[in-house]
Amino acid sequence: MQTQSRWQRFARTIYDYVLLTVGALLSATAVRFFLVPNQVVTGGITGVAQLLNTFLGTPVGAVVLILNVPLLIAGWRYLGGAVFGIRTLYTVVVMSLAIDGLAPFARPITNDPLLYSLYGGLIDGLGIGLVLRARGTTGGSDILARLIERRFGIQPGRSLLSFDALVFTAALFSYGPEKILYALLVAFTASRAIDTVLAAGKGARQALIITANPDPIRQAILHRLGRGITELEGIGGYSGAKRAVLLCVVARTEIGFLKNVVTTVDPAAFVIIGDVDEVIGEGFQRPT
């Protein structure tokens, strides 16, 4: 079991670094092929690097790497030590090298403002989402977003959108109001893509079933659906009658079976079904 556990950790680490690499390359592709050629500033450290490139001609990738050094030190201390620091450093180096390495080949894929804004934001958001999912960041404002998520539980995509607004304000006088409007579209698209990637495969449905006939429902969920169930005791606020309250969490694809079981056994049952952002435990996601 110990050997298997080591192999599992090794396989997970390799998988994470594949995600880090793909995510870094996606973000670099969005910056180099969609955003920089069309003078659409991105948020965070990359946006600052773009502004410096406009005024001083400094290479975008190198500036991203230099500005990330103090943030990497802060992240190393507060966001997971060596594991976080090494993964973030790896991601930043790959992304920075890719941004500058692709510069000689970069040509605008499209000159349509709507297309390069939407696809630039989408690809950048997918890249950042993959990196965050692999327990790393692309540095810069991503580190701040992770700190805020850890402290306040705010989704990273929303925090990043706020940080981007500060950069856009500074860029307003460099690129003009029209480019900033497109940059806001990029930021919004990226934030939604990030949250979608982070939520993929983690969501489920929660059901609260208030019924006078709990045994058949409980047995069907346990043995036919293979899901755990918790039975609580409820008391009607109006009638004062005692009713069983069954609490269970199932995959989204299993909710149809669950509703069919309940309505067949007890048509009078009161069922509350809601979305669950993330489930950790047996049958779902394992703690990492």
Side-chain angles (χ1 to χ4, degrees), residues 257-277:
F257 174 84
L258 179 67
K259 290 192 291 186
N260 182 64
V261 167
V262 174
T263 55
T264 300
V265 173
D266 184 5
F270 190 79
V271 184
I272 304 170
I273 299 173
D275 287 324
V276 178
D277 289 335

Side-chain angles (χ1 to χ4, degrees), residues 75-238:
W76 188 294
R77 180 175 181 181
Y78 297 109
L79 289 176
V83 172
F84 170 85
I86 292 172
R87 291 179 185 223
T88 298
L89 178 61
Y90 172 81
T91 304
V92 170
V93 169
V94 171
M95 185 179 69
S96 301
L97 292 177
I99 289 174
D100 286 345
L102 292 171
F105 312 101
R107 299 291 184 275
I109 292 179
T110 176
N111 293 316
D112 185 295
L114 182 60
L115 288 179
Y116 63 63
S117 298
L118 288 176
Y119 280 96
L122 176 63
I123 295 172
D124 188 37
L126 291 176
I128 295 174
L130 290 176
V131 170
L132 293 175
R133 186 156 185 150
R135 295 175 291 174
T137 75
T138 56
S141 56
D142 292 351
I143 296 177
L144 296 177
R146 286 283 298 274
L147 288 168
I148 291 175
E149 181 189 26
R150 180 178 178 181
R151 179 66 179 84
F152 300 105
I154 299 174
Q155 291 181 323
R158 297 178 183 178
S159 299
L160 291 171
L161 187 59
S162 300
F163 300 148
D164 291 345
L166 297 177
V167 178
F168 298 154
T169 301
L172 177 63
F173 302 100
S174 303
Y175 294 99
E178 184 175 297
K179 291 292 185 181
I180 298 304
L181 292 175
Y182 285 119
L184 290 171
L185 180 59
V186 170
F188 177 78
T189 305
S191 71
R192 301 309 300 166
I194 291 168
D195 291 339
T196 299
V197 172
L198 293 178
K202 296 183 180 180
R205 305 298 294 274
Q206 173 186 274
L208 282 172
I209 307 164
I210 303 172
T211 176
N213 190 17
D215 289 339
I217 299 175
R218 182 174 59 247
Q219 293 301 318
I221 294 173
L222 287 172
H223 301 295
R224 293 173 57 191
L225 198 55
R227 293 295 186 185
I229 191 167
T230 300
E231 183 170 344
L232 310 172
E233 183 177 307
I235 300 176
Y238 176 76

Side-chain angles (χ1 to χ4, degrees), residues 236-247:
Y238 176 76
S239 66
K242 292 185 178 181
R243 290 286 186 272
V245 180
L246 305 179
L247 168 64

